Amino acid sequence: MTVLRQRKSGKVKEAPPTAELQSQTSDCCTDRRPERILHGGWSWTVIVWTSVGWSVSVGLGLLCCIYVATLHENDLWFSNIKEVEREISFRTECGLYYSYYKQMLHAPSIQEGLSDLIHDNLTESKRSINLLQRMNIYQEVFLSVLYRLLPIQSYLEPVYFYIYTVFSLQAVYVIALYLTAWLLSGSWLAGALTGIWYILNRVDTTRVEFTISLRENWSLPFLALQVTAVTCYLRPQLSALQQKVMVWLMYVTTFCFCLTWQFNQFILLVQALVIYTLDCLDFITAPQVTTLYLVQLSGLLSVWLLQFCNSMILGSLVVSFIVAALFIRHCQSALKTGSLLTRVGKLLLHSTMVLLLTVTINYLAKKVLQLRSDEHIFKFIKSKFALGHTSRDFDASLYLCEEAFGRLPLDTLERLAATLLLYPYILTLLLLSGTLALAALHNLRSQDRKAASECHAVALRADVAYNVLHTLFFGLVAFSTMRMKYLWTGHMCAVAAYGVCGTELWTLLLNTLRCNSKFLLRLVRFALPLAMIGCLYYKFWPKLMEELSELREFYDPDTVELMTWISTKTPKRAVFAGSMQLLAGIKLCTGRVLTNHPHYEDKDLRERTRQVYQVYARRSPDDVHDIMTAIGADYVVLENSICYERRHGRGCRLRDLLDLDNGHVMDGPGDNDPDLVPASHPRFCDAIKSDAAASGYTALFTRTFQNKTFHVYRVKKRRKKSAKNPATEPGATQEQENEK
């Protein structure tokens, strides 16, 4: 088990009614958004102010990058530990992804490295798979090629080139959030407040410092850039050229986001629902809706081509939804006509037709493509919300029993409140949600532009409406599943900063208080964010310095000993079976062949993993041996931390999940379902270590390595009944003596 210890030493587009009104309301105050220069606002004041804003954005981005890089160094003493320890620090699936970067660097040539990835037979034993099709590892390929071509090998190690690239993406992330807040509010102080909040809430906005290779750390910065581009695209009075630039930016960022994360389809589905809602409520025009949908679809299809026609993309819900929404919208040309009740009825019918067509298209696509790669995700969703009988499903339970896939804990909100983020966010969200609801109601009631002009008081810009729905939808996702909070908390900072620095909200509030004036509006918009920044500095700067002064050291001698033994004492083509997390590290540190791994998006791999995990169930040695022989395993690694697990409660320990899946009663005191029966065999991972059961196991397995954490057994080949006793074979006695 890895632990950290203290160191010993130191053309104007046509706008819908609401969009037409927003240009009138925005004239009430000086607007210094970053794109104003593009509209011809060439004055020295604007140039200087905008330059300062851009400089602050870059500064905050670099500050975040340096901050997380320093934390990573201080937690592990990364610069001082051995290479094997550095590789072990890439935990679970992080190690698997990094291993392909390492593999590409060690390949004789780029062409051979790519060929090995396309025809890989090391990641899954007895199978040849196309890793570029199965996994999202183009970023590792790109970085390895770049490292080979750049003249930096003599002074920058490959691992540092990799981790510094990921940390640099955090700077991109902060800059993207900064620009979103600036575009919404018209003040770069909102961007500064956004960046500061992102950094201070690091625990809830990112986990990059200890999960460097996770796909989300590559993809979320591009998602933030895409949201910035969408926000700018939905702003009024953009020229034809500016629209084209924004469309291309949206496509490029969507493409990069989809290319770097296998769960892109689910994130884009939520975003497509946001676009659909804006369309139904008449906040954006038909050309804008079509463009946004086609940008999403183009990005996904581009990745589909790069991933050798990955069927998981074509069979995704978001592709089915976009096709259904565009088709039904084209067929219902009179959707936005009639009285309020008529329009609401049409929208309900429209939504029902879109839903039914989406489900039909998706069902047919998965049948034609024979797609089952993502069924575990739907099992998880059904089980989480009690939508079906999946309480004993092994794959669903494997997710549900992890805290990261539970509901968002309340202490998250406490931390967000401590940094003064939660309160302005909630207030802003309530005001904007109310304004959105009123504007939507008036849009549905309006049948012409004249009627719309009467709705001036509740006008809401399209870009603001998009961001409100974005944060609402992803907030719901975050509350349902804690791991998804990283999709919400970063954008949450931008929305809260808009509330503090935006013109519209303060105008509404001051009008309500009957004390509105341009001077007072400017004063509040500038004084309040500066006061908040000063307060945050006073409160958190000493804590940041204290955090950065804490020095720890990577310490995991048992895993280091295991990896060293595998590298030096086993054949290079030996096949290892074990837990997904450990095998990812074995792949990275030793290059040995695996039976299974943490990239779970494959039906056959999930079944194989369940079979491998039978070593922690109550199964006979013959059953386990048959399983290991069938998958070609030469060695099986048993972990005490799994066999005698105490981290989870009863019913969520891996051995309990296996017992339930096998129909056996669980260990320990507690209730069991009446259909469960006692197992006829002891638990394999425990019994194989017992001397009393040795005779039933030594004929099939030989212990070759052990320490306090791991036990490694060699899987023997079955011998015919006429074969000699293994103990009398030449060299067997000596081998057994060496294992003691």
Side-chain angles (χ1 to χ4, degrees):
M1 177 180 176
T2 303
V3 298
L4 297 174
R5 65 179 186 182
Q6 295 291 331
R7 287 188 197 170
K8 298 178 181 178
S9 59
K11 181 178 163 183
V12 176
K13 56 188 176 184
E14 179 188 357
T18 302
E20 182 181 90
L21 294 167
Q22 66 196 29
S23 62
Q24 303 171 21
T25 58
S26 63
D27 291 338
C28 67
C29 183
T30 301
D31 200 6
R32 290 190 176 97
R33 290 178 176 84
E35 83 278 10
R36 187 183 172 185
I37 292 177
L38 299 176
H39 295 309
W42 288 95
S43 69
W44 283 108
T45 303
V46 172
I47 293 173
V48 172
W49 191 252
T50 304
S51 300
V52 171
W54 278 103
S55 301
V56 173
S57 71
V58 174
L60 283 171
L62 291 176
L63 178 61
C64 182
C65 172
I66 296 171
Y67 177 47
V68 294
T70 304
L71 287 177
H72 176 259
E73 169 62 26
N74 290 354
D75 280 345
L76 301 174
W77 206 358
F78 199 76
S79 60
N80 192 65
I81 57 180
K82 297 182 293 185
E83 186 66 21
V84 64
E85 293 176 312
R86 291 179 177 178
E87 293 178 346
I88 293 172
S89 71
F90 287 88
R91 305 172 184 178
T92 63
E93 61 189 289
C94 296
L96 182 68
Y97 298 133
Y98 182 76
S99 70
Y100 300 122
Y101 171 73
K102 177 182 176 181
Q103 181 178 325
M104 280 291 295
L105 290 176
H106 290 173
S109 67
I110 296 174
Q111 292 78 5
E112 290 187 42
L114 288 172
S115 178
D116 290 340
L117 293 179
I118 295 173
H119 307 95
D120 178 86
N121 54 12
L122 301 178
T123 305
E124 296 178 17
S125 59
K126 289 191 170 184
R127 294 175 184 169
S128 179
I129 62 175
N130 185 343
L131 291 170
L132 296 181
Q133 180 188 53
R134 177 82 72 82
M135 303 183 189
N136 297 69
I137 58 170
Y138 271 101
Q139 50 266 54
E140 278 75 25
V141 174
F142 174 75
L143 279 192
S144 63
V145 173
L146 197 60
Y147 186 81
R148 282 173 173 264
L149 298 178
L150 294 177
I152 58 175
Q153 291 87 347
S154 59
Y155 59 86
L156 185 64
E157 297 177 62
V159 64
Y160 278 105
F161 182 67
Y162 186 92
I163 65 174
Y164 286 166
T165 300
V166 179
F167 292 150
S168 297
L169 285 174
Q170 286 296 299
V172 175
Y173 198 176
V174 170
I175 292 173
L177 295 172
Y178 182 106
L179 293 176
T180 300
W182 191 358
L183 285 166
L184 291 171
S185 66
S187 171
W188 59 257
L189 284 174
L193 195 54
T194 299
I196 293 170
W197 269 331
Y198 182 89
I199 295 171
L200 294 181
N201 292 281
R202 171 189 55 82
V203 173
D204 298 301
T205 55
T206 183
R207 48 179 176 164
V208 66
E209 74 274 10
F210 60 91
T211 57
I212 295 174
S213 302
L214 275 189
R215 305 297 83 180
E216 66 186 54
N217 295 327
W218 288 92
S219 63
L220 291 187
F222 294 110
L223 179 63
L225 285 172
Q226 187 238 36
V227 171
T228 304
V230 172
T231 301
C232 192
Y233 173 73
L234 293 178
R235 292 189 56 75
Q237 300 176 346
L238 289 184
S239 67
L241 177 60
Q242 291 163 2
Q243 291 181 54
K244 291 180 181 179
V245 171
M246 286 303 110
V247 170
W248 275 105
L249 284 177
M250 288 189 295
Y251 166 73
V252 171
T253 52
T254 302
F255 168 75
C256 292
F257 165 69
C258 294
L259 189 65
T260 52
W261 199 9
Q262 69 268 29
F263 295 135
N264 55 69
Q265 54 170 301
F266 302 103
I267 313 305
L268 290 185
L269 177 62
V270 177
Q271 189 180 55
L273 291 173
V274 172
I275 297 169
Y276 178 80
T277 305
L278 291 173
D279 179 29
C280 290
L281 300 181
D282 212 13
F283 281 102
I284 54 179
T285 63
Q288 288 176 323
V289 175
T290 303
T291 299
L292 291 171
Y293 280 148
L294 292 181
V295 163
Q296 285 191 325
L297 195 58
S298 299
L300 285 165
L301 292 180
S302 298
V303 174
W304 173 71
L305 289 174
L306 270 181
Q307 289 195 298
F308 297 81
C309 305
N310 188 331
S311 60
M312 191 171 171
I313 296 176
L314 284 187
S316 64
L317 269 176
V318 65
V319 171
S320 303
F321 176 80
I322 292 173
V323 173
L326 288 174
F327 178 78
I328 299 297
R329 198 183 195 284
H330 177 75
C331 294
Q332 290 186 307
S333 57
L335 178 64
K336 299 182 179 181
T337 59
S339 64
L340 175 62
L341 291 178
T342 302
R343 290 193 62 176
V344 171
K346 288 182 178 180
L347 284 178
L348 291 175
L349 177 61
H350 176 77
S351 300
T352 302
M353 293 174 65
V354 170
L355 176 62
L356 291 176
L357 186 57
T358 299
V359 173
T360 302
I361 293 175
N362 191 253
Y363 174 80
L364 293 176
K366 289 187 175 181
K367 283 294 182 180
V368 172
L369 298 171
Q370 297 182 341
L371 178 63
R372 304 184 70 183
S373 299
D374 58 353
E375 65 178 10
H376 65 297
I377 300 174
F378 295 101
K379 285 181 180 179
F380 161 71
I381 295 173
K382 289 168 63 177
S383 183
K384 185 176 183 66
F385 298 103
L387 300 176
H389 301 287
T390 56
S391 58
R392 287 192 194 174
D393 184 82
F394 179 76
D395 296 327
S397 299
L398 211 56
Y399 283 101
L400 287 172
C401 284
E402 291 298 327
E403 183 182 4
F405 293 94
R407 294 180 180 177
L408 188 73
L410 294 180
D411 61 350
T412 303
L413 302 181
E414 294 175 1
R415 291 192 298 268
L416 297 174
T419 60
L420 308 180
L421 170 60
L422 186 64
Y423 305 118
Y425 174 77
I426 293 177
L427 182 59
T428 301
L429 192 58
L430 289 174
L431 290 174
L432 288 176
S433 298
T435 305
L436 179 71
L438 290 175
L441 180 61
H442 281 283
N443 287 345
L444 292 175
R445 293 175 61 184
S446 300
Q447 299 182 44
D448 52 44
R449 295 297 176 89
K450 182 178 179 179
S453 64
E454 298 174 358
C455 309
H456 187 148
V458 291
L460 189 67
R461 302 201 318 259
D463 57 332
V464 176
Y466 170 81
N467 280 276
V468 171
L469 290 178
H470 183 99
T471 192
L472 277 173
F473 281 41
F474 281 101
L476 292 174
V477 172
F479 272 92
S480 67
T481 306
M482 187 181 74
R483 187 176 178 180
M484 298 294 104
K485 71 178 180 179
Y486 302 106
L487 295 163
W488 174 58
T489 48
H491 188 260
M492 178 185 183
C493 298
V495 172
Y498 164 64
V500 173
C501 304
T503 302
E504 293 84 354
L505 294 178
W506 283 113
T507 300
L508 177 64
L509 183 60
L510 292 176
N511 283 336
T512 303
L513 299 175
R514 300 181 183 277
C515 58
N516 188 22
S517 68
K518 287 187 177 182
F519 173 76
L520 185 58
L521 179 61
R522 289 186 181 182
L523 179 63
V524 171
R525 289 182 62 218
F526 288 98
L528 184 59
L530 288 175
M532 293 184 71
I533 292 173
C535 179
L536 292 173
Y537 175 83
Y538 176 79
K539 182 178 181 181
F540 290 100
W541 183 256
K543 294 181 180 180
L544 286 179
M545 293 299 100
E546 182 181 357
E547 182 183 26
L548 291 174
S549 66
E550 294 178 357
L551 305 177
R552 297 182 178 89
E553 177 183 2
F554 177 89
Y555 185 73
D556 192 356
D558 290 347
T559 306
V560 171
E561 184 184 11
L562 173 65
M563 298 304 175
T564 303
W565 177 82
I566 293 174
S567 297
T568 59
K569 302 296 183 180
T570 63
K572 291 185 177 181
R573 299 291 298 185
V575 180
F576 279 80
S579 69
M580 297 182 289
Q581 297 82 356
L582 179 63
L583 291 185
I586 291 176
K587 174 74 168 63
L588 172 58
C589 298
T590 71
R592 298 307 189 261
V593 184
L594 312 180
T595 57
N596 53 300
H597 53 81
H599 196 274
Y600 219 45
E601 281 64 53
D602 181 75
K603 170 66 176 178
D604 294 333
L605 178 66
R606 292 194 294 271
E607 177 57 30
R608 176 180 279 198
T609 299
R610 190 182 67 83
Q611 290 297 322
V612 169
Y613 279 2
Q614 296 304 311
V615 296
Y616 298 108
R618 293 187 178 99
R619 299 293 292 268
S620 69
D622 290 296
D623 290 342
V624 174
H625 187 272
D626 289 342
I627 291 172
M628 296 300 157
T629 302
I631 62 178
D634 298 314
Y635 296 88
V636 55
V637 185
L638 303 180
E639 301 171 60
N640 290 337
S641 58
I642 298 179
C643 189
Y644 310 112
E645 181 184 1
R646 296 179 180 178
R647 183 170 67 95
H648 293 103
R650 185 176 185 268
C652 266
R653 300 168 298 189
L654 180 60
R655 62 179 187 268
D656 295 335
L657 302 183
L658 291 165
D659 287 341
L660 290 173
D661 189 63
N662 293 333
H664 298 155
V665 297
M666 296 181 288
D667 285 340
D671 296 331
N672 290 283
D673 292 340
D675 60 326
L676 299 178
V677 298
S680 56
H681 300 281
R683 197 166 304 280
F684 179 86
C685 64
D686 181 51
I688 195 173
K689 304 168 190 174
S690 172
D691 293 335
S695 59
Y697 293 84
T698 55
L700 301 175
F701 303 93
T702 301
R703 185 160 57 197
T704 56
F705 173 87
Q706 67 172 330
N707 58 24
K708 293 183 297 182
T709 305
F710 305 104
H711 294 256
V712 183
Y713 294 86
R714 182 170 60 83
V715 181
K716 294 183 178 181
K717 304 297 181 183
R718 283 193 181 273
R719 290 165 173 79
K720 298 179 181 180
K721 294 182 179 180
S722 59
K724 297 180 180 179
N725 189 304
T728 63
E729 289 180 9
T733 304
Q734 183 64 36
E735 181 181 6
Q736 291 175 355
E737 291 177 357
N738 292 338
E739 293 163 7
K740 293 180 180 180

